[in-house]
Amino acid sequence: MNTEINNLEDIKKIWREMGTAFHTESYCTTPEALNNKRTTLDRLRRRYMSFIIFSISAGIIEFPIILHLGSLGFLPDNLKWPVAISFMIMMLIEACIDFWFWKGTGRICPLTMTVSDLSSMALYYKKCHIKSIMVCTPMALGWIIFFIYAASLANFFPIFGIITGAAVGLFFGIRALKRFMAEYKSLYSNN
């Protein structure tokens, strides 16, 4: 297979085609310039946006559910509001953290940044993501312990539900973490 281009007109034609494929003012603001193909950076940002939406939705939806558990007698009346409010606050903190990552990864612009700048920025956000998990995991465990304590005061100990919820949450959490880390790795290693 001959891959050499000997004709000057062919070189000019290929150069113009490449220029029109990447013709845009800023890749960061208009990813449609790449024919609506999702890049790793686009997938990473969409994943953060979906986690923002999920966190806010979980906080809003679970709030009345937790209050209803209190009215059913599964939580003591004096602790149903603190449990519900603490869960909502925890979810809003998660949404804020994901928003920060979404906003920060939006500043990564492959067309205007050097390879080393892009790699270092992707590595920075990957390290921050891991650090945020180290902070948020104890916060979530603390809330689970608080919920178990509150439920045990009402003589309701949902051990099966707690184990099932923890197993499902751990499974989906590890799966999402692996995907995040794979996308970050492809950003800083395959430039």
Side-chain angles (χ1 to χ4, degrees), residues 61-80:
I61 292 169
E62 288 293 320
F63 187 80
I65 292 172
I66 293 171
L67 291 179
H68 186 64
L69 285 175
S71 64
L72 292 175
F74 294 125
L75 291 174
D77 284 337
N78 63 337
L79 286 179
K80 68 180 181 182

Side-chain angles (χ1 to χ4, degrees), residues 22-34 39 41-42 45 102-113 118 121:
F22 289 106
H23 183 343
T24 180
E25 290 178 17
S26 171
Y27 170 77
C28 301
T29 57
T30 58
E32 295 80 25
L34 294 176
T39 63
L41 188 58
D42 295 332
R45 295 197 73 224
W102 177 78
K103 196 80 166 157
T105 54
R107 295 183 325 156
I108 298 174
C109 188
L111 295 181
T112 60
M113 297 175 82
L118 191 144
M121 206 166 189

Side-chain angles (χ1 to χ4, degrees), residues 28 48 73 77 83 87 151 154 177:
C28 301
Y48 278 123
D77 284 337
V83 170
F87 183 77
L177 179 63

Side-chain angles (χ1 to χ4, degrees), residues 103-148:
K103 196 80 166 157
T105 54
R107 295 183 325 156
I108 298 174
C109 188
L111 295 181
T112 60
M113 297 175 82
T114 64
V115 174
S116 64
D117 288 344
L118 191 144
S119 296
S120 66
M121 206 166 189
L123 202 56
Y124 168 76
Y125 282 109
K126 178 183 177 181
K127 288 178 181 178
C128 287
H129 189 114
I130 292 170
K131 288 176 186 175
S132 73
I133 290 171
M134 290 180 186
V135 170
C136 292
T137 300
M139 182 174 65
L141 288 175
W143 186 84
I144 291 170
I145 291 169
F146 180 54
F147 181 75
I148 292 170

